[in-house]
Amino acid sequence: MSNLYSIFEFKYPVSVDKSILGKSYPIKIGGINGFIHIPYLPIWSENESEPLRKLLTPPEVALDWMQGADPIFWGKPYQYPSGHSSLHRVVFQFEVHDSEVDGQLVYESFASWINLLLDYIEVMSNQNVRIEQTLNSYGDNFQLFQWDENGKNQSITENKLITICLNDWQKNIREEQLIEACNLASSGAPLRLAYKLYLEANRAFLQKDYRKTVIECGAAIESELTELISVELSNRGCSDEDIGARLSNRSNRTLGGRFNLADSHLHLNLSQQNYSYRDLLVNPRNDAMHEAKFISQPIARKAINYTSTLLSMIAPQFKET
Protein backbone atom coordinates (compact mmCIF):
# COMPACT_ATOMS: atom_id res chain seq x y z
CA MET A 1 0.00 0.00 0.00
CA SER A 2 1.12 3.55 -0.69
CA ASN A 3 -0.36 7.00 -0.21
CA LEU A 4 -1.40 9.63 -2.74
CA TYR A 5 -1.86 13.22 -1.59
CA SER A 6 -3.36 16.40 -2.96
CA ILE A 7 -3.52 19.94 -1.59
CA PHE A 8 -6.91 21.27 -2.64
CA GLU A 9 -7.80 24.97 -2.64
CA PHE A 10 -11.45 25.99 -2.42
CA LYS A 11 -12.23 28.69 -4.95
CA TYR A 12 -14.38 30.36 -2.30
CA PRO A 13 -13.36 29.66 1.32
CA VAL A 14 -15.74 27.61 3.44
CA SER A 15 -16.73 29.01 6.82
CA VAL A 16 -16.33 26.26 9.40
CA ASP A 17 -17.04 25.70 13.04
CA LYS A 18 -14.09 25.20 15.39
CA SER A 19 -15.19 21.58 15.94
CA ILE A 20 -14.06 20.66 12.40
CA LEU A 21 -10.51 21.96 12.65
CA GLY A 22 -7.53 19.68 13.17
CA LYS A 23 -9.44 16.51 12.29
CA SER A 24 -9.60 14.00 9.45
CA TYR A 25 -12.74 12.60 7.83
CA PRO A 26 -13.08 9.41 5.77
CA ILE A 27 -14.14 9.71 2.12
CA LYS A 28 -14.36 7.50 -0.96
CA ILE A 29 -13.77 8.80 -4.48
CA GLY A 30 -13.88 6.54 -7.52
CA GLY A 31 -14.03 3.53 -5.21
CA ILE A 32 -10.75 4.55 -3.53
CA ASN A 33 -10.81 5.10 0.22
CA GLY A 34 -9.15 8.14 1.65
CA PHE A 35 -9.30 11.03 4.09
CA ILE A 36 -9.81 14.76 3.97
CA HIS A 37 -7.44 16.40 6.46
CA ILE A 38 -8.42 19.77 7.95
CA PRO A 39 -5.86 22.32 9.23
CA TYR A 40 -5.59 23.30 12.89
CA LEU A 41 -6.41 26.48 14.74
CA PRO A 42 -3.34 28.54 15.64
CA ILE A 43 -2.10 28.25 19.19
CA TRP A 44 -3.43 31.25 21.11
CA SER A 45 -2.00 32.47 24.38
CA GLU A 46 -4.35 33.34 27.22
CA ASN A 47 -4.19 37.07 26.51
CA GLU A 48 -3.51 37.04 22.78
CA SER A 49 -3.11 40.65 21.61
CA GLU A 50 -3.93 40.13 17.92
CA PRO A 51 -5.41 36.62 17.66
CA LEU A 52 -6.93 37.07 14.20
CA ARG A 53 -3.54 37.84 12.67
CA LYS A 54 -2.51 34.24 13.26
CA LEU A 55 -3.26 31.76 10.46
CA LEU A 56 -4.50 28.18 10.49
CA THR A 57 -1.68 25.67 10.84
CA PRO A 58 -1.10 22.60 8.62
CA PRO A 59 -2.81 19.24 9.07
CA GLU A 60 -0.53 16.70 10.70
CA VAL A 61 0.26 14.98 7.40
CA ALA A 62 1.51 18.28 5.96
CA LEU A 63 3.45 19.75 8.88
CA ASP A 64 6.66 20.32 6.91
CA TRP A 65 5.18 21.09 3.50
CA MET A 66 6.02 24.39 1.83
CA GLN A 67 4.94 26.26 -1.28
CA GLY A 68 8.31 27.00 -2.75
CA ALA A 69 10.08 28.90 0.00
CA ASP A 70 6.85 30.05 1.64
CA PRO A 71 4.49 28.38 4.12
CA ILE A 72 1.21 27.16 2.64
CA PHE A 73 -1.80 29.36 3.40
CA TRP A 74 -4.50 27.06 4.81
CA GLY A 75 -6.98 29.64 6.02
CA LYS A 76 -7.55 31.95 8.94
CA PRO A 77 -9.79 32.34 11.97
CA TYR A 78 -12.27 35.18 11.78
CA GLN A 79 -13.71 35.03 15.29
CA TYR A 80 -11.94 34.94 18.65
CA PRO A 81 -12.09 33.06 20.96
CA SER A 82 -14.77 30.87 19.31
CA GLY A 83 -12.31 29.77 16.61
CA HIS A 84 -14.75 29.99 13.70
CA SER A 85 -12.56 30.07 10.60
CA SER A 86 -12.37 30.50 6.85
CA LEU A 87 -11.05 27.27 5.33
CA HIS A 88 -9.02 27.83 2.16
CA ARG A 89 -7.11 24.57 1.71
CA VAL A 90 -7.31 20.94 2.80
CA VAL A 91 -5.26 17.82 2.15
CA PHE A 92 -6.68 14.74 0.46
CA GLN A 93 -4.99 11.42 1.18
CA PHE A 94 -5.74 8.12 -0.56
CA GLU A 95 -4.48 4.65 0.34
CA VAL A 96 -3.79 2.83 -2.94
CA HIS A 97 -2.40 -0.46 -4.21
CA ASP A 98 -1.33 0.88 -7.61
CA SER A 99 -0.56 4.59 -7.74
CA GLU A 100 -1.10 4.96 -11.49
CA VAL A 101 -4.27 2.87 -11.82
CA ASP A 102 -5.94 4.02 -8.61
CA GLY A 103 -4.84 7.59 -9.20
CA GLN A 104 -6.68 7.60 -12.52
CA LEU A 105 -9.84 6.35 -10.78
CA VAL A 106 -9.65 9.28 -8.36
CA TYR A 107 -9.02 11.74 -11.20
CA GLU A 108 -12.03 10.46 -13.15
CA SER A 109 -14.44 10.90 -10.24
CA PHE A 110 -13.05 13.88 -8.35
CA ALA A 111 -14.94 16.65 -10.18
CA SER A 112 -18.28 14.93 -9.64
CA TRP A 113 -17.43 14.20 -6.00
CA ILE A 114 -16.31 17.71 -5.06
CA ASN A 115 -19.30 19.32 -6.77
CA LEU A 116 -21.66 16.99 -4.91
CA LEU A 117 -19.88 17.75 -1.63
CA LEU A 118 -20.23 21.49 -2.25
CA ASP A 119 -23.93 21.04 -3.07
CA TYR A 120 -24.50 19.41 0.31
CA ILE A 121 -22.43 22.02 2.12
CA GLU A 122 -24.42 24.79 0.46
CA VAL A 123 -27.77 23.22 1.30
CA MET A 124 -26.73 22.74 4.92
CA SER A 125 -25.23 26.19 5.45
CA ASN A 126 -26.52 28.49 2.66
CA GLN A 127 -22.90 29.51 2.05
CA ASN A 128 -21.64 30.84 -1.24
CA VAL A 129 -19.14 28.06 -1.95
CA ARG A 130 -18.62 28.21 -5.70
CA ILE A 131 -20.40 31.06 -7.50
CA GLU A 132 -19.29 34.56 -8.32
CA GLN A 133 -21.40 36.62 -5.97
CA THR A 134 -20.98 39.82 -7.98
CA LEU A 135 -23.02 38.42 -10.89
CA ASN A 136 -26.38 40.14 -11.36
CA SER A 137 -25.54 42.60 -8.59
CA TYR A 138 -25.18 45.78 -10.63
CA GLY A 139 -26.69 48.65 -8.68
CA ASP A 140 -24.66 48.32 -5.49
CA ASN A 141 -22.90 51.58 -6.31
CA PHE A 142 -26.13 53.46 -7.18
CA GLN A 143 -26.26 56.79 -5.34
CA LEU A 144 -28.94 59.50 -5.51
CA PHE A 145 -28.17 63.16 -5.00
CA GLN A 146 -29.84 66.54 -5.40
CA TRP A 147 -28.62 70.09 -5.96
CA ASP A 148 -29.10 72.28 -2.91
CA GLU A 149 -29.84 75.99 -2.93
CA ASN A 150 -26.11 76.76 -3.03
CA GLY A 151 -25.56 74.69 -6.16
CA LYS A 152 -23.81 71.87 -4.30
CA ASN A 153 -24.80 68.25 -4.67
CA GLN A 154 -26.32 66.63 -1.62
CA SER A 155 -26.44 62.85 -1.29
CA ILE A 156 -29.67 61.06 -0.50
CA THR A 157 -28.84 58.39 2.07
CA GLU A 158 -30.22 54.93 1.38
CA ASN A 159 -32.70 53.62 3.94
CA LYS A 160 -30.55 50.99 5.63
CA LEU A 161 -33.63 49.21 6.98
CA ILE A 162 -34.03 47.48 3.62
CA THR A 163 -30.46 46.16 3.63
CA ILE A 164 -30.33 42.75 5.27
CA CYS A 165 -27.09 41.37 6.70
CA LEU A 166 -26.33 37.79 5.65
CA ASN A 167 -24.33 36.93 8.77
CA ASP A 168 -27.20 34.96 10.28
CA TRP A 169 -28.11 33.40 6.93
CA GLN A 170 -24.83 31.87 5.81
CA LYS A 171 -23.86 29.59 8.66
CA ASN A 172 -20.65 27.80 9.58
CA ILE A 173 -20.44 24.14 8.67
CA ARG A 174 -20.50 22.05 11.84
CA GLU A 175 -18.66 18.77 12.32
CA GLU A 176 -21.74 16.55 12.06
CA GLN A 177 -22.73 18.33 8.86
CA LEU A 178 -19.30 17.87 7.26
CA ILE A 179 -19.36 14.18 8.18
CA GLU A 180 -22.81 13.81 6.60
CA ALA A 181 -21.76 15.77 3.50
CA CYS A 182 -18.63 13.63 3.04
CA ASN A 183 -20.64 10.42 3.44
CA LEU A 184 -23.34 11.53 1.00
CA ALA A 185 -20.82 12.72 -1.60
CA SER A 186 -18.80 9.50 -1.20
CA SER A 187 -21.94 7.42 -1.74
CA GLY A 188 -22.69 9.35 -4.93
CA ALA A 189 -26.21 10.09 -3.71
CA PRO A 190 -27.61 13.05 -5.68
CA LEU A 191 -29.64 15.80 -4.05
CA ARG A 192 -33.39 15.31 -4.27
CA LEU A 193 -35.12 17.59 -6.75
CA ALA A 194 -36.55 19.97 -4.15
CA TYR A 195 -33.07 20.71 -2.77
CA LYS A 196 -31.62 21.19 -6.26
CA LEU A 197 -34.26 23.85 -6.80
CA TYR A 198 -33.53 25.30 -3.37
CA LEU A 199 -29.86 25.62 -4.37
CA GLU A 200 -30.95 27.68 -7.37
CA ALA A 201 -33.01 29.89 -5.05
CA ASN A 202 -30.08 30.31 -2.66
CA ARG A 203 -27.69 31.21 -5.47
CA ALA A 204 -30.17 33.68 -6.92
CA PHE A 205 -30.54 35.29 -3.50
CA LEU A 206 -26.77 35.57 -3.09
CA GLN A 207 -26.60 37.16 -6.54
CA LYS A 208 -29.42 39.55 -5.60
CA ASP A 209 -31.82 38.20 -8.21
CA TYR A 210 -34.83 38.29 -5.90
CA ARG A 211 -37.42 37.55 -8.57
CA LYS A 212 -35.71 34.27 -9.43
CA THR A 213 -35.31 33.55 -5.71
CA VAL A 214 -39.05 33.41 -5.03
CA ILE A 215 -39.78 31.54 -8.28
CA GLU A 216 -37.26 28.81 -7.45
CA CYS A 217 -38.53 28.66 -3.85
CA GLY A 218 -42.02 28.07 -5.20
CA ALA A 219 -40.77 25.35 -7.54
CA ALA A 220 -38.92 23.60 -4.69
CA ILE A 221 -41.95 23.54 -2.41
CA GLU A 222 -44.37 22.60 -5.22
CA SER A 223 -42.15 19.62 -6.08
CA GLU A 224 -42.08 18.38 -2.50
CA LEU A 225 -45.77 19.04 -1.87
CA THR A 226 -46.63 16.96 -4.93
CA GLU A 227 -44.59 14.07 -3.52
CA LEU A 228 -46.06 14.52 -0.04
CA ILE A 229 -49.65 14.58 -1.33
CA SER A 230 -49.07 11.57 -3.57
CA VAL A 231 -47.71 9.50 -0.69
CA GLU A 232 -50.55 10.55 1.61
CA LEU A 233 -53.24 9.73 -0.95
CA SER A 234 -51.58 6.38 -1.67
CA ASN A 235 -51.56 5.59 2.05
CA ARG A 236 -55.28 6.35 2.11
CA GLY A 237 -55.87 3.73 -0.55
CA CYS A 238 -56.08 5.91 -3.67
CA SER A 239 -54.91 4.39 -6.95
CA ASP A 240 -52.26 6.03 -9.13
CA GLU A 241 -55.04 7.05 -11.50
CA ASP A 242 -57.02 8.68 -8.69
CA ILE A 243 -53.92 10.49 -7.44
CA GLY A 244 -53.12 11.79 -10.92
CA ALA A 245 -56.70 13.01 -11.37
CA ARG A 246 -56.64 14.75 -7.99
CA LEU A 247 -53.37 16.53 -8.71
CA SER A 248 -54.38 17.55 -12.22
CA ASN A 249 -57.69 19.00 -11.07
CA ARG A 250 -57.73 22.65 -12.07
CA SER A 251 -58.04 23.89 -8.49
CA ASN A 252 -55.02 21.84 -7.39
CA ARG A 253 -52.56 22.46 -10.24
CA THR A 254 -50.96 25.63 -8.92
CA LEU A 255 -48.65 26.13 -5.95
CA GLY A 256 -51.52 27.66 -4.02
CA GLY A 257 -53.73 24.73 -5.06
CA ARG A 258 -51.14 22.24 -3.81
CA PHE A 259 -50.98 24.04 -0.47
CA ASN A 260 -54.77 24.14 -0.23
CA LEU A 261 -55.06 20.42 -1.01
CA ALA A 262 -52.41 19.50 1.56
CA ASP A 263 -53.76 21.89 4.18
CA SER A 264 -57.54 22.15 3.96
CA HIS A 265 -58.37 18.74 2.46
CA LEU A 266 -55.68 16.37 3.70
CA HIS A 267 -54.88 18.28 6.92
CA LEU A 268 -51.14 17.69 6.62
CA ASN A 269 -48.84 19.50 9.03
CA LEU A 270 -47.22 22.40 7.18
CA SER A 271 -46.69 24.44 10.35
CA GLN A 272 -49.67 26.57 9.36
CA GLN A 273 -50.02 27.85 12.91
CA ASN A 274 -46.62 29.51 12.68
CA TYR A 275 -46.43 30.61 9.04
CA SER A 276 -48.76 32.06 6.43
CA TYR A 277 -47.73 30.21 3.28
CA ARG A 278 -49.75 32.56 1.11
CA ASP A 279 -48.08 35.71 2.43
CA LEU A 280 -44.59 34.24 2.61
CA LEU A 281 -44.42 32.28 -0.65
CA VAL A 282 -47.53 31.83 -2.78
CA ASN A 283 -48.34 35.52 -3.29
CA PRO A 284 -44.72 36.68 -3.88
CA ARG A 285 -44.15 33.81 -6.30
CA ASN A 286 -47.33 34.65 -8.21
CA ASP A 287 -46.38 38.34 -8.27
CA ALA A 288 -42.97 37.48 -9.72
CA MET A 289 -44.12 34.82 -12.17
CA HIS A 290 -47.48 36.04 -13.40
CA GLU A 291 -47.45 39.79 -12.73
CA ALA A 292 -43.75 40.35 -13.51
CA LYS A 293 -43.46 42.49 -10.40
CA PHE A 294 -40.18 43.46 -8.81
CA ILE A 295 -39.42 41.56 -5.63
CA SER A 296 -37.68 43.30 -2.75
CA GLN A 297 -34.87 41.81 -0.71
CA PRO A 298 -36.95 41.45 2.49
CA ILE A 299 -39.69 39.57 0.65
CA ALA A 300 -37.18 37.24 -1.00
CA ARG A 301 -35.45 36.69 2.34
CA LYS A 302 -38.72 35.71 4.01
CA ALA A 303 -39.56 33.37 1.13
CA ILE A 304 -36.24 31.55 1.25
CA ASN A 305 -36.32 31.37 5.06
CA TYR A 306 -39.76 29.80 4.90
CA THR A 307 -38.72 27.43 2.12
CA SER A 308 -35.74 26.24 4.12
CA THR A 309 -37.88 25.72 7.23
CA LEU A 310 -40.66 23.90 5.42
CA LEU A 311 -38.29 21.64 3.47
CA SER A 312 -36.60 20.61 6.72
CA MET A 313 -40.04 19.49 7.95
CA ILE A 314 -41.49 17.74 4.92
CA ALA A 315 -38.25 16.57 3.26
CA PRO A 316 -35.64 16.01 5.99
CA GLN A 317 -33.59 13.71 3.74
CA PHE A 318 -31.29 15.72 1.45
CA LYS A 319 -30.58 12.87 -0.96
CA GLU A 320 -32.77 11.44 -3.68
CA THR A 321 -34.50 8.27 -2.52
Side-chain angles (χ1 to χ4, degrees), residues 42 44 48-56 73 75-78 80:
W44 284 322
E48 191 74 42
S49 59
E50 295 183 281
L52 300 185
R53 291 180 65 88
K54 289 192 171 183
L55 304 178
L56 299 185
F73 174 63
K76 57 185 178 181
Y78 65 82
Y80 175 83

Side-chain angles (χ1 to χ4, degrees), residues 10 16-17 20-25 36-41 56-60 74 87 89-91 178:
F10 294 103
V16 299
D17 187 85
I20 285 175
L21 298 172
K23 297 180 181 177
S24 300
Y25 301 95
I36 180 171
H37 300 290
I38 312 297
Y40 288 85
L41 266 178
L56 299 185
T57 60
E60 191 168 348
W74 299 98
L87 184 63
R89 287 180 173 86
V90 296
V91 172
L178 181 60

Side-chain angles (χ1 to χ4, degrees), residues 3 5-6 26 38 44 66 105 107 111-112 122 127 133 141 155 177 214 225 231 235 257 278-279 308 310:
N3 289 305
Y5 298 94
S6 177
I38 312 297
W44 284 322
M66 302 285 284
L105 292 174
Y107 275 131
S112 296
E122 186 177 342
Q127 289 187 50
Q133 196 164 328
N141 57 352
S155 296
Q177 291 176 319
V214 297
L225 283 179
V231 170
N235 291 339
R278 290 203 172 275
D279 292 339
S308 177
L310 187 55

Side-chain angles (χ1 to χ4, degrees), residues 221-257:
I221 293 300
E222 186 172 343
S223 168
E224 208 52 53
L225 283 179
T226 301
E227 177 68 18
L228 186 70
I229 291 167
S230 298
V231 170
E232 179 65 21
L233 289 174
S234 179
N235 291 339
R236 296 187 184 191
C238 294
S239 66
D240 290 346
E241 185 177 350
D242 291 336
I243 295 171
R246 194 81 175 266
L247 290 171
S248 62
N249 184 286
R250 185 173 181 180
S251 62
N252 298 330
R253 290 178 190 169
T254 63
L255 176 61

Side-chain angles (χ1 to χ4, degrees), residues 291-305:
E291 304 295 331
K293 291 184 177 179
F294 290 108
I295 302 298
S296 68
Q297 187 187 53
I299 289 175
R301 176 63 183 272
K302 288 177 182 178
I304 200 168
N305 273 342

Side-chain angles (χ1 to χ4, degrees), residues 68-138:
D70 300 319
I72 297 170
F73 174 63
W74 299 98
K76 57 185 178 181
Y78 65 82
Q79 198 172 93
Y80 175 83
S82 70
H84 300 327
S85 300
S86 294
L87 184 63
H88 286 248
R89 287 180 173 86
V90 296
V91 172
F92 287 100
Q93 177 185 2
F94 300 96
E95 299 173 345
V96 300
H97 294 283
D98 186 310
S99 298
E100 291 297 328
V101 173
D102 293 341
Q104 291 306 312
L105 292 174
V106 174
Y107 275 131
E108 289 169 6
S109 300
F110 183 77
S112 296
W113 185 91
I114 193 66
N115 278 283
L116 194 53
L117 178 74
L118 292 176
D119 279 349
Y120 282 114
I121 287 176
E122 186 177 342
V123 163
M124 293 173 182
S125 68
N126 299 311
Q127 289 187 50
N128 171 33
V129 291
R130 61 178 182 189
I131 59 172
E132 178 52 61
Q133 196 164 328
T134 59
L135 294 175
N136 299 328
S137 63
Y138 296 108

